[in-house]
Amino acid sequence: MTRVLVIDDEPQIVRALVINLKARHYEVDAAHDGAGALQLAAARHPDVVVLDLGLPDMDGVEVIRGLRGWTRVPILVLSARHSSDEKVEALDAGADDYVTKPFGMDELLARLRAAVRRAEPVPGDGDDVIVETERFTVDLAAKKVNRDGRDVRLTPTEWHLLEVLVRNTGRLVSQKQLLQEVWGPSYGTETNYLRVYMAQLRRKLEADPAHPRHFITEPGMGYRFEK
Amino acid sequence: MTRVLVIDDEPQIVRALVINLKARHYEVDAAHDGAGALQLAAARHPDVVVLDLGLPDMDGVEVIRGLRGWTRVPILVLSARHSSDEKVEALDAGADDYVTKPFGMDELLARLRAAVRRAEPVPGDGDDVIVETERFTVDLAAKKVNRDGRDVRLTPTEWHLLEVLVRNTGRLVSQKQLLQEVWGPSYGTETNYLRVYMAQLRRKLEADPAHPRHFITEPGMGYRFEK
DNA sequence: GGCGTCTTTGACGGAACTCTGACGCCTCCG
DNA sequence: CGGAGGCGTCAGAGTTCCGTCAAAGACGCC
């Protein structure tokens, strides 16, 4: 299901959006200020963001920059300002679309669909979705790991970590990058998390967890997944 | 250079667009009807399309469908129609953005930039920079060194040092510069560090560490990496 | 509200890495 | 010919980093 993050300080607009979006089977989170929005975005990883520029605590453009610092999620800006400069500033800061209030709900939803559609991965492009080693198989699309003919059960965090590593097969992924991708942009130094979860992955997937062949540690730098 | 395909049957609009786009260093093709547009798109593979819906020979939405049949190139629709239905139809047919005439040139250009930016591939995704010598290869992105088919393990400091040298292949890098880049700006005289770590690199990468062919010492000055 | 699962946190031993000093070699120069 | 400075090599000390375990805390489900 597509997850939308709505950011607006006017309750009636939020309510209207939430009702319309939920009726169309979107999953909706809502924030009423910039700080809460950035936090929610990090925690929930929405598929698209609807952002009102007029927020009480910070400039809307700052919110865009805050998001663009770590994600390419589509951002659809709402604003009461019709000025061309405002639009240009928001778009150049990283927004994907700009709709002026009052807006038609049909149009907004169509623009939302367009933004989501664009962000979808090209079908058949990254279809090396299945990565195999001699011991286990990872299916990125089905979110399944198979080992010795049996499905291995992974927790959400374990899966997320595995996904980042597998998508970078052969490449070193720094500790900071792993932490930020899995736990959110405000993390970066909590390397103990990595130690714990890397141990879990090894215990579940490596033949000899004490001497890993696939999940390689590069001391002081990061981790690397090798086929 | 970014290539734009402009499709409009009103000469004055085409002229205005072409002039503005060329002034901003875009490469511009122009078509005045749907058939010509589809042909030009196939021949020139533009990076973004600006499409007026009111064409003489076919419905603008048909042009969108024609393009979407084989390409995901961003399509920015221009239209005199303000009706919500028209927008929804165009967006759902595959358009990326919808601007109503009369439009501000600044805004259009900003939306164009946003569309192009979105379509850009993620930097640092698959673009590995690999430096080769006859003895070993260095992959800066994956942080990997391969020698005789085997991966060589480097410590963080060794990597950093190697990285600075490789990025300056063929050029002399002074001792002070190396120390400051690897150990931090407050270092500059601790040349013993360099001696130790340069020895490590040579031991791990050179065929005959006592007679280095790639990591050359320039006495009293610095070091140089040669392919 | 109780239970099970998942995440977070802390502590510890061991491994890996960095730093340091000593020594010998070479080159340059008086 | 002898001394000085710069460099390469080696090995050990000190520090940081990592794997492991266990337990507490948070969360969702029944």
Side-chain angles (χ1 to χ4, degrees), chain B residues 7-66:
Chain B
I7 311 165
D8 203 319
D9 62 330
E10 298 175 55
Q12 63 270 35
I13 292 194
V14 173
R15 208 177 59 240
L17 282 170
V18 169
I19 287 172
N20 271 284
L21 289 168
K22 286 200 170 161
R24 282 160 183 84
H25 305 102
Y26 289 91
E27 192 174 341
V28 188
D29 296 318
H32 58 277
D33 57 26
L38 291 174
Q39 208 171 339
L40 253 181
R44 303 275 291 161
H45 286 268
D47 299 301
V48 55
V49 172
V50 177
L51 167 67
D52 189 324
L53 282 193
L55 295 178
D57 62 333
M58 56 197 283
D59 186 359
V61 175
E62 285 309 311
V63 178
I64 297 175
R65 297 218 177 85

Side-chain angles (χ1 to χ4, degrees), chain B residues 155-157 183 192-193 196-197:
Chain B
T155 71
T157 310
W183 278 270
N192 46 326
Y193 293 9
V196 171
Y197 279 93

Side-chain angles (χ1 to χ4, degrees), chain A residues 109-119, chain B residues 91-92 95-97:
Chain A
L109 290 171
R111 286 184 182 273
L112 201 79
R113 285 194 294 276
V116 171
R117 159 164 40 82
R118 264 195 309 262
Chain B
L91 289 167
D92 281 341
D96 288 79
D97 205 341

Side-chain angles (χ1 to χ4, degrees), chain A residues 10-40:
Chain A
E10 298 176 52
Q12 64 269 34
I13 291 192
V14 173
R15 209 178 57 240
L17 283 170
V18 169
I19 289 173
N20 272 283
L21 288 168
K22 285 200 170 161
R24 283 161 184 83
H25 305 103
Y26 289 92
E27 193 174 337
V28 188
D29 295 317
H32 57 277
D33 57 25
L38 292 174
Q39 209 171 337
L40 254 181

